[in-house]
Amino acid sequence: MSRRLAFALAFGLAAPFAPSVSAQPAAPAEAAPPCGGDFAVWLDGVRAEARAAGVSEAAIARGLEGVAIDPKVLSHDRGQQVFQQTFLQFAGRMVAGARVTRGPKLIELNRALFTRMEAEYGVPASVVAAFWGLETDFGANLGKFDTRSALATLAHDCRRPAFFRPQLIAVLKVVERGDLAPADMRGAWAGELGQTQMMPADYIRFGVDGDGDGRVDLMKSTPDAILSAGRYVSEMGWRRGEPWLQEVTVPASLPWEQADIDLKHPVSQWTAWGVTPRQGALQGKPEAGAALLLPMGRNGPAFLAYDNFDVYRKWNQSFIYAMTAAYLATRYEGAPQVAAGAAPVRPLDTAELTDLQHRLRKAGVLDGEADGRLGFATRKAARAAQLKLGLPADGYPSLELLQALPPAE
């Protein structure tokens, strides 16, 4: 989705997703584009910027005709609930039913297209098909929001103008190029377009005319959508012929502090620590680096994430989304349904997680606000607190950790 940047914007369920769009490094305050104020005056500034970027007056007029603030977009942006779901909850809902069974069938139905995509970009069909399925149910649910108004709303809003204003300019470039008519630009609430939901700037940069009709139509052309997604994944650093994610089982004696998304060890080291594949053999070579991921702590599901998993984090920096997309791709490769883990895991509710974050802040291991959302910062802070307290440092914000930390007040 980075287009999919970070989970401060996250992904709502518009098409079925809107993008996670805010972990991109923030622009310096003095470089941030203007935001807020009278909308008509603000649009005049957008027009001037588009002209400076080489967009014609005709394309600007067509692209901005009828654009208006959409309160529903702001409502989605402020009220995302995916943060509260565990991996098993989210993956159980999103990797199920027709999305699991249709993927392999569509790969076979479009075998020549996927073979071409793999040959040109080195990305497995299962990987792109999983994004295709998760983002829009294989093109069936592209979203209903007016992309131009959605982007104008988010660019005018002063929360993330540095990201969204350039996307609005990119929409005008899509119009200028003749890829889409303004009336066809309908998608997710945060401005993504097409069957694999690309942000407009990426539409311009990575779009491929797969069917040879002279334009890039990611809305209606499956060849354009699949090849564009393959190119995008490739240019994010996909390593041809290498694995991305594999479910494993872990021993109770594991050094839990080593299970960190940003800490990789050779596969041979994980083997020495007693990590074993749930099915088949370990996919990575003994010297290959891999991180052990415990999305629900030491008692929940466990995965080895190889170098290619880093691309999933670039597609969408939400940990749960990246895990789910990578897991769905493994299902298309024949992996079984994920195991629940070694023991039941009781996640903290929003109030408890907020309380824990306040306690982590008091303990000096968490910066930022206590927002009740489980992201990378909270996981790393939880691990730091667990190490201080002598608890198994699996980085999961558990009830055990909450009860072990003194109250914030």
Side-chain angles (χ1 to χ4, degrees):
M1 183 200 328
S2 294
R3 104 196 141 116
R4 303 166 196 286
L5 308 170
F7 209 23
L9 172 69
F11 45 95
L13 300 180
F17 292 114
S20 54
V21 204
S22 77
Q24 181 169 304
E30 64 274 15
C35 61
D38 182 88
F39 186 66
V41 173
W42 180 86
L43 271 183
D44 284 339
V46 171
R47 292 185 181 95
E49 185 175 342
R51 290 187 200 101
V55 182
S56 69
E57 291 292 343
I60 293 171
R62 292 199 311 273
L64 294 180
E65 183 180 4
V67 165
I69 294 292
D70 186 344
K72 291 183 179 179
V73 168
L74 293 177
S75 177
H76 276 279
D77 186 36
R78 303 297 193 261
Q80 303 163 52
Q81 298 301 314
V82 150
F83 291 102
Q84 322 308 330
Q85 299 178 30
T86 68
F87 169 70
L88 285 178
Q89 288 170 335
F90 187 72
R93 181 165 61 87
M94 304 308 296
V95 183
R99 192 172 284 133
V100 175
T101 58
R102 286 194 67 208
K105 293 177 181 178
L106 287 172
I107 291 173
E108 286 306 312
L109 183 64
N110 296 278
R111 175 51 64 187
L113 172 61
F114 278 104
T115 297
R116 175 186 170 189
M117 186 272 297
E118 291 189 49
E120 292 187 12
Y121 302 115
V123 182
S126 56
V127 171
V128 170
F131 285 130
W132 190 25
L134 277 180
E135 298 291 350
T136 65
D137 280 328
F138 312 105
N141 300 305
L142 299 181
K144 298 181 179 180
F145 284 85
D146 182 307
T147 300
R148 301 164 306 133
S149 287
L151 288 172
T153 298
L154 293 167
H156 178 264
D157 182 48
C158 288
R159 201 148 81 92
R160 286 174 312 282
F163 177 76
F164 284 108
R165 184 161 173 145
Q167 300 297 335
L168 182 57
I169 301 299
V171 157
L172 300 179
K173 292 180 180 180
V174 172
V175 175
E176 176 81 75
R177 203 165 69 173
D179 291 330
L180 296 175
D184 294 331
M185 292 181 174
R186 304 196 73 82
W189 61 266
E192 293 178 305
L193 284 164
Q195 295 186 34
T196 59
Q197 296 287 272
M198 297 184 79
M199 292 302 289
D202 296 320
Y203 197 121
I204 292 289
R205 183 177 177 187
F206 300 110
V208 176
D209 177 14
D211 57 18
D213 67 353
R215 64 192 185 99
V216 179
D217 183 356
L218 303 186
M219 308 288 288
K220 298 178 181 178
S221 173
T222 296
D224 291 9
I226 296 304
L227 290 172
S228 297
R231 180 185 177 190
Y232 181 59
V233 170
S234 174
E235 296 201 25
M236 282 193 292
W238 189 269
R239 300 166 68 140
R240 185 186 294 263
E242 295 187 15
W244 56 94
L245 189 75
Q246 183 176 18
E247 189 179 2
V248 294
T249 58
V250 294
S253 59
L254 190 80
W256 299 110
E257 68 277 4
Q258 302 302 316
D260 188 322
I261 194 168
D262 294 320
L263 183 60
K264 293 181 180 179
H265 293 288
V267 169
S268 58
Q269 179 62 73
W270 291 117
T271 300
W273 279 329
V275 174
T276 59
R278 184 181 172 210
Q279 181 187 68
L282 288 175
Q283 296 170 355
K285 296 178 180 179
E287 67 277 12
L292 181 64
L293 306 185
L294 305 173
M296 296 173 63
R298 66 190 186 280
N299 291 320
F303 298 86
L304 279 184
Y306 301 98
D307 286 339
N308 275 335
F309 184 75
D310 295 342
V311 172
Y312 284 90
R313 296 177 67 187
K314 295 175 183 177
W315 180 283
N316 188 314
Q317 289 184 21
S318 155
F319 181 48
I320 298 303
Y321 179 93
M323 286 287 304
T324 301
Y327 162 59
L328 177 56
T330 68
R331 293 293 303 276
Y332 292 165
E333 295 280 339
Q337 181 175 347
V338 64
V345 177
R346 191 275 213 191
L348 299 182
D349 61 28
T350 302
E352 290 170 331
L353 183 56
T354 302
D355 184 13
L356 175 63
Q357 290 171 327
H358 282 298
R359 297 182 189 211
L360 292 171
R361 282 171 51 82
K362 182 180 180 181
V365 295
L366 177 65
D367 295 325
E369 297 182 3
D371 59 6
R373 297 175 172 182
L374 178 53
F376 287 116
T378 299
R379 289 178 183 270
K380 289 187 177 296
R383 186 187 310 281
Q386 289 165 336
L387 285 169
K388 285 186 176 182
L389 294 168
L391 299 173
D394 60 5
Y396 190 68
S398 63
L399 185 62
E400 176 187 34
L401 176 60
L402 176 63
Q403 294 173 339
L405 287 167
E409 297 180 357

